[in-house]
Amino acid sequence: MPSFINNYQKTVWTKQLQKSYATVQQGFKLMMAQEEVDSIDSTHAFQALKTYGCARLDGETMSNCTEFYNNLKKYFAITYIDDTYGNQKSSAKIYLADGSYIFGYRFWGTSRGATNSEIKRFGDFWIDVNGDKKPNEKGRDRFYFIVSQTGDVYAGGSKQSSLALYGDETTMYWKTNVHYANHCYGKGFNNTTCAGRVLEKGKMDY
């Protein structure tokens, strides 16, 4: 019975991940379409970050978020933003109507990452696909993503995320990097590649 329950829960997390991925992708794409721009840094939300970004991550806090949040609300079904003044850690959360929330986020008005890559990163973030429900663990219900200049959202561990961060398709790709392939979930492991693995395989097999 415990094995059955565990496998069932993995299936639930996988479906929630697929749904969350589609939701954020749709939001950024809608933003660009409605504002009729070809690059995400031309949208009002990211124009507001040209001088100073919006980051809520341990070790990197940028407080220029108010205008960014206001523009984000036009394209995402946001129910609540838990970001009190002076919050300097990844405890800040953007709650979405589907029950998930975005946290540990960094968004910028200029690209960051590999300068030789055709994919330009304008933000990265974590999604807890079932919100405040447990286990709140990376690789189970928490997954890492980046957003590019085209509004496309790429899962951590995908070839595209590797291109954006390292300029090649292999360094962060879960299938070609042995460390990432064998160590997705667990204490001390690099959990940033789990989303790419689960979405590509269509299941959580770890």
Side-chain angles (χ1 to χ4, degrees):
M1 184 64 72
S3 177
F4 172 79
I5 294 174
N6 188 43
N7 289 333
Y8 170 76
Q9 189 58 66
K10 288 181 181 181
T11 300
V12 172
W13 289 326
T14 298
K15 290 181 178 179
Q16 289 173 326
L17 169 60
Q18 292 167 334
K19 181 179 178 182
S20 293
Y21 170 66
T23 297
V24 293
Q25 170 102 330
Q26 182 181 28
F28 287 118
K29 285 292 191 179
L30 178 62
M31 177 187 295
M32 293 181 61
Q34 290 289 325
E35 299 187 22
E36 300 181 336
V37 297
D38 296 322
S39 184
I40 201 166
D41 58 320
S42 296
T43 63
H44 295 307
F46 284 83
Q47 281 286 309
L49 306 178
K50 284 292 185 182
T51 303
Y52 206 53
C54 172
R56 292 291 183 268
L57 186 70
D58 292 344
E60 183 177 353
T61 303
M62 298 180 181
S63 59
N64 189 31
C65 294
T66 302
E67 189 175 348
F68 177 76
Y69 289 154
N70 289 337
N71 281 285
L72 209 63
K73 290 175 182 177
K74 299 175 183 177
Y75 309 105
F76 288 81
I78 295 174
T79 58
Y80 177 63
I81 297 179
D82 181 10
D83 185 8
T84 56
Y85 180 78
N87 190 333
Q88 297 185 16
K89 296 186 177 182
S90 57
S91 55
K93 301 170 184 174
I94 302 173
Y95 285 89
L96 303 178
D98 65 1
S100 65
Y101 64 71
I102 298 169
F103 72 104
Y105 47 89
R106 302 178 296 177
F107 296 103
W108 313 285
T110 54
S111 64
R112 297 193 181 187
T115 56
N116 63 328
S117 175
E118 62 186 28
I119 298 177
K120 306 301 181 184
R121 177 177 58 133
F122 281 87
D124 54 19
F125 53 94
W126 289 83
I127 297 178
D128 191 310
V129 299
N130 60 358
D132 291 325
K133 295 179 181 178
K134 293 182 179 181
N136 299 324
E137 295 178 358
K138 293 177 179 179
R140 289 303 191 212
D141 57 346
R142 291 183 165 185
F143 300 92
Y144 173 77
F145 294 89
I146 70 167
V147 60
S148 73
Q149 80 276 15
T150 59
D152 288 298
V153 174
Y154 298 119
S158 64
K159 290 181 179 179
Q160 294 90 343
S161 67
S162 186
L163 271 170
L165 292 168
Y166 299 101
D168 63 71
E169 292 186 344
T170 59
T171 301
M172 194 181 181
Y173 182 37
W174 72 270
K175 190 178 286 187
T176 55
N177 187 308
V178 175
H179 173 75
Y180 289 147
N182 296 334
H183 301 96
C184 186
Y185 168 75
K187 187 175 181 180
F189 294 155
N190 190 317
N191 311 106
T192 56
T193 62
C194 300
R197 175 173 176 163
V198 176
L199 288 172
E200 185 170 328
K201 302 189 83 171
K203 60 182 179 180
M204 189 179 294
D205 60 351
Y206 53 83

